[in-house]
Amino acid sequence: MPKFSANLSMLYQEHTFLDRLTAAAADGFKGVEYLGPYDERPDDIAKALSDTGLTQVLFNLPSGDWAGGERGIGGLPGREAEFADGVDRAIIYATALGCKQVNCLAGIAPEGREHAHEAVLVENLKMAADRLGEAGIRLLLEPINTRDIPGFLVTGTDQFLRIADRVDSPNLWLQYDFYHMQIMQGDLIRTFQTLQDRISHVQIADNPGRHEPGTGEINHPWLFGALDRLDYTGWVGAEYRPAAGTSEGLEWMKGT
């Protein structure tokens, strides 16, 4: 059976941030993840994790002005110093929370500027992979669909492989989101199996709608069985928008 992690940036929105950990544990989740912990004190989150017995599975590097529409700064020219500061800040939080992996969001590239932004991303990833590796933390890179985030820089697994070849670090891993990849390229399990030795974390949501498993076209029971057959031992992040309440929509997890 897969290990499920609750993405607290989408689930349990009726609760305050720290109370979401309590709610997730009560519903049977064993781990948590979210966009970022940076609005909370590390000690407060660490205490909530200890109190609930949850594992801190993942969070993102600081992603710029999210409210203003930015979706990561990994590939943004002129923001290299901010990105480096964000890596240092993420290490502080990850160390305090016992988190062994962080994800980089590449950001949005204006049309025609993709190559320039990718060059910046490669250099930033080289630096981040080294710094995080020294701290015992994996660096992940996530391809995201361009329906939800038009203009996002990294959109598929082939592009990840091209970037990884240029970064040339053993500490750059793929975050494989089945929802995003169903939209962008399909062939989910075959691609997963091909790249399994490069994948450090997976996430799920159904399509269309990005709601919980069972609301769309992806056969999640078969997918979970395939992950077991392939001996995937990592976490499966529930990163979806509940169609109703979070707790009310967890039948998909109870049946695994």
Side-chain angles (χ1 to χ4, degrees):
M1 179 186 298
K3 301 183 298 184
F4 294 111
S5 170
N7 190 298
L8 302 184
S9 296
M10 289 192 172
L11 305 183
Y12 302 105
Q13 292 302 294
E14 66 273 26
H15 298 291
T16 62
F17 179 80
L18 292 176
D19 285 344
R20 292 174 202 169
L21 282 83
T22 303
D27 278 339
F29 284 103
K30 303 302 182 184
V32 291
E33 57 190 75
Y34 33 74
L35 290 177
Y38 309 108
D39 290 335
E40 307 287 340
R41 297 193 314 161
D43 289 349
D44 291 339
I45 305 176
K47 183 179 185 304
L49 290 168
S50 177
D51 289 346
T52 58
L54 291 165
T55 297
Q56 181 64 59
V57 173
L58 174 82
F59 57 81
N60 293 341
L61 295 173
S63 301
D65 183 6
W66 196 268
E70 290 186 332
R71 294 296 181 263
I73 60 173
L76 301 191
R79 306 284 288 277
E80 292 88 348
E82 180 183 350
F83 181 85
D85 288 344
V87 171
D88 291 339
R89 193 177 182 199
I91 289 172
I92 292 171
Y93 273 85
T95 302
L97 304 180
C99 186
K100 300 301 183 182
Q101 53 187 9
V102 298
N103 178 48
C104 173
L105 292 181
I108 297 170
E111 187 174 357
R113 295 288 297 163
E114 293 88 354
H115 291 301
H117 280 241
E118 188 173 303
V120 170
L121 177 63
V122 167
E123 293 306 310
N124 278 336
L125 291 174
K126 288 179 180 179
M127 176 276 297
D130 287 347
R131 287 196 193 179
L132 290 163
E134 290 169 359
I137 302 164
R138 287 184 173 187
L139 172 63
L140 281 57
L141 180 66
E142 179 184 17
I144 291 178
N145 82 79
T146 53
R147 181 185 302 161
D148 289 354
I149 306 181
F152 196 78
L153 180 60
V154 181
T155 61
T157 55
D158 287 346
Q159 187 180 8
F160 166 83
L161 291 172
R162 182 179 74 237
I163 290 169
D165 284 345
R166 294 175 65 187
V167 174
D168 192 24
S169 169
N171 195 35
L172 180 60
W173 301 81
L174 174 61
Q175 180 167 308
Y176 189 78
D177 188 310
F178 285 100
Y179 164 74
H180 290 308
M181 294 302 93
Q182 172 72 355
I183 293 172
M184 296 304 295
Q185 59 189 61
D187 209 7
L188 296 176
I189 289 298
R190 187 198 66 81
T191 303
F192 174 89
Q193 185 172 11
T194 300
L195 298 176
Q196 186 170 353
D197 63 347
R198 311 290 293 272
I199 293 171
S200 187
H201 187 62
V202 304
Q203 293 175 325
I204 55 167
D206 222 329
N207 181 62
R210 203 173 187 177
H211 299 311
E212 54 264 56
T215 59
E217 66 187 0
I218 300 176
N219 185 343
H220 281 92
W222 188 89
L223 186 152
F224 297 149
L227 292 178
D228 284 343
R229 290 191 296 275
L230 293 169
D231 295 321
Y232 173 70
T233 59
W235 290 88
V236 176
E239 189 184 53
Y240 60 80
R241 303 183 186 95
T246 300
S247 298
E248 294 80 356
L250 290 177
E251 289 302 317
W252 65 268
M253 190 169 72
K254 296 173 184 177
T256 56

